[in-house]
Amino acid sequence: MNKRERVLAAVSGKEPDRVPVGFWLHFPPGFEAGEGAVRRHLEFFEKSRTDLCKVMNENSLPDHPGLHDAADWGRLKEIPHDAPFIRRQLDLIHTVCEKVNKEAVVLATIHGMVASAFHYLGGGALYDQDKQALTRHLREDPEAFRHGMEVIAGYLDYLCGACLEAGADGLYFASLGGETAMMTDEEFETFFKPYEMKLLEKYDKKAPCFNVLHMCKDHLNLSRYVGYPSKVINWGIYEDNLSLEEGRQLFGADRVILGGLDDRDGVLTGGTMEDIERQVHRLLREHGTRNFLLGADCTLPTEISLERIAKVVQAAETYQG
């Protein structure tokens, strides 16, 4: 099997020649778009030997200069579809898809409602600086905040469709908001889940191959995501969240799980090559090889040696169940 055939077999419930592997990382500053970004994506894809090609999205919704207070959400206007940051991302996806040339499934990274709202309010760093920033606004002026979410949902609707038109085989939909310390279940259900459900329901049908639902960060109430349509699911099992088996029970045995390895600690980043092989073999022995893609909780460290990722692929090849 080639990489594409292997992944599609695993996602459709068939038995591939080996368990597929999918990893990714953020590239250094200066490689967000253009030829440099294309080159880094292709180098990573080839040298790591990973089976999935995920196009990163560093061209996210920019910090809005007029968005500061809760009431400001009510004054937001539609985000232009021809905005430069959108065009840069679509050009990146289109070129990477052309270069990969159907050798593998290519996924386009989509930042979900909560992540996009943080980007718009103060940039990506705001999440780490003030996790309650959105929550304060939605509590202070719910109607204004709801209008803002409709604007962001409209932007994401366009972006999802445009990514598929640019050649992506599916979407890697990264959803924040599951953190129990950030907001209540009711607030998530009211202000974020309906928009994400609508998007995923629409593009679950339109994706040529499949979409991945990624649930990020620690101490998640993963039950908030029950009902989200996505064939493949991925979450941080090493961040005080449900284990692989617990997640399989919650979301259903028909879902394909992506994960198994810690992205920032443990054998993948700090162990020997022999440790990596033993860990991969143990995971496959304990969790089986069906409905499973080997990966990590989230993005790997930018500086990780690609030989370590290639070792995961090699370990999957040598596993004898």
Side-chain angles (χ1 to χ4, degrees):
M1 290 181 169
N2 65 23
K3 295 181 177 185
R4 186 181 186 87
E5 292 167 341
R6 182 176 300 118
V7 170
L8 292 179
V11 172
S12 64
K14 299 176 182 177
E15 189 77 36
D17 58 344
R18 64 162 171 80
V19 170
V21 176
F23 291 101
W24 29 86
L25 49 76
H26 294 290
F27 300 110
F31 295 98
E32 297 84 4
E35 293 182 5
V38 173
R39 184 175 68 253
R40 293 302 293 260
H41 276 81
L42 296 177
E43 287 176 353
F44 175 84
F45 179 58
E46 293 167 3
K47 293 180 180 180
S48 70
R49 299 186 61 214
T50 185
D51 293 299
L52 274 169
C53 181
K54 176 176 177 286
V55 181
M56 304 301 288
N57 185 0
E58 315 298 354
N59 303 294
S60 52
L61 199 59
D63 184 1
H64 192 291
L67 185 55
H68 303 288
D69 300 321
D72 293 336
W73 292 97
R75 291 185 279 270
L76 292 180
K77 297 180 180 179
E78 180 180 345
I79 298 164
H81 294 170
D82 61 351
F85 75 96
I86 296 177
R87 302 316 313 171
R88 288 194 298 270
Q89 183 64 16
L90 295 178
D91 288 345
L92 174 60
I93 292 169
H94 177 73
T95 307
V96 170
C97 289
E98 277 192 334
K99 297 292 185 181
V100 172
N101 194 27
K102 299 299 182 181
E103 178 188 345
V105 172
V106 179
L107 300 176
T109 302
I110 300 292
H111 300 294
M113 291 293 298
V114 173
S116 294
F118 268 107
H119 290 156
Y120 221 23
L121 180 58
L126 179 62
Y127 172 85
D128 292 320
Q129 296 165 0
D130 184 2
K131 289 182 174 62
Q132 295 294 318
L134 295 183
T135 311
R136 287 197 302 274
H137 282 188
L138 69 85
R139 291 172 182 172
E140 182 179 337
D141 196 334
E143 291 309 309
F145 191 80
R146 192 187 306 276
H147 171 79
M149 294 308 97
E150 290 172 357
V151 170
I152 288 176
Y155 148 72
L156 289 176
D157 186 14
Y158 171 75
L159 183 63
C160 289
C163 287
L164 298 180
E165 290 178 6
D169 294 302
L171 308 173
Y172 180 93
F173 194 93
S175 180
L176 295 176
E179 302 96 312
T180 55
M182 180 181 288
M183 66 186 75
T184 67
D185 292 347
E186 182 179 5
E187 287 166 341
F188 183 79
E189 291 269 350
T190 301
F191 293 99
F192 303 105
K193 185 172 183 175
Y195 300 109
E196 294 194 331
M197 283 284 290
K198 186 176 181 179
L199 287 168
L200 286 170
E201 285 169 353
K202 179 177 181 178
Y203 292 103
D204 184 56
K205 297 180 177 67
K206 292 191 174 185
C209 292
F210 60 88
N211 298 327
V212 176
L213 172 63
H214 170 67
M215 294 153 286
C216 214
K217 307 305 178 183
D218 57 2
H219 298 93
L220 301 175
N221 180 4
L222 286 171
S223 62
R224 293 179 182 179
Y225 297 98
V226 171
Y228 272 45
S230 181
K231 184 64 177 177
V232 182
I233 55 175
N234 168 242
W235 71 95
I237 65 171
Y238 291 96
E239 295 186 291
D240 294 309
N241 295 314
L242 298 183
S243 68
L244 289 177
E245 289 307 314
E246 290 169 334
R248 192 181 296 278
Q249 292 175 13
L250 177 66
F251 292 106
D254 60 324
R255 299 292 189 97
V256 176
I257 292 179
L258 166 65
L261 293 166
D262 196 331
D263 59 317
R264 298 284 157 165
D265 200 2
V267 299
L268 186 56
T269 57
T272 65
M273 293 298 186
E274 291 74 18
D275 291 334
I276 293 174
E277 182 176 62
R278 283 193 291 268
Q279 176 79 342
V280 168
H281 288 179
R282 183 188 66 78
L283 280 168
L284 298 181
R285 187 169 58 251
E286 293 179 355
H287 300 288
T289 57
R290 284 189 177 274
N291 291 345
F292 189 48
L293 308 177
L294 267 171
D297 282 2
C298 198
T299 51
L300 298 178
T302 298
E303 66 278 3
I304 191 172
S305 167
L306 301 189
E307 293 178 354
R308 303 181 75 81
I309 305 173
K311 183 62 180 181
V312 175
V313 178
Q314 183 185 50
E317 292 171 338
T318 60
Y319 176 70
Q320 297 179 344

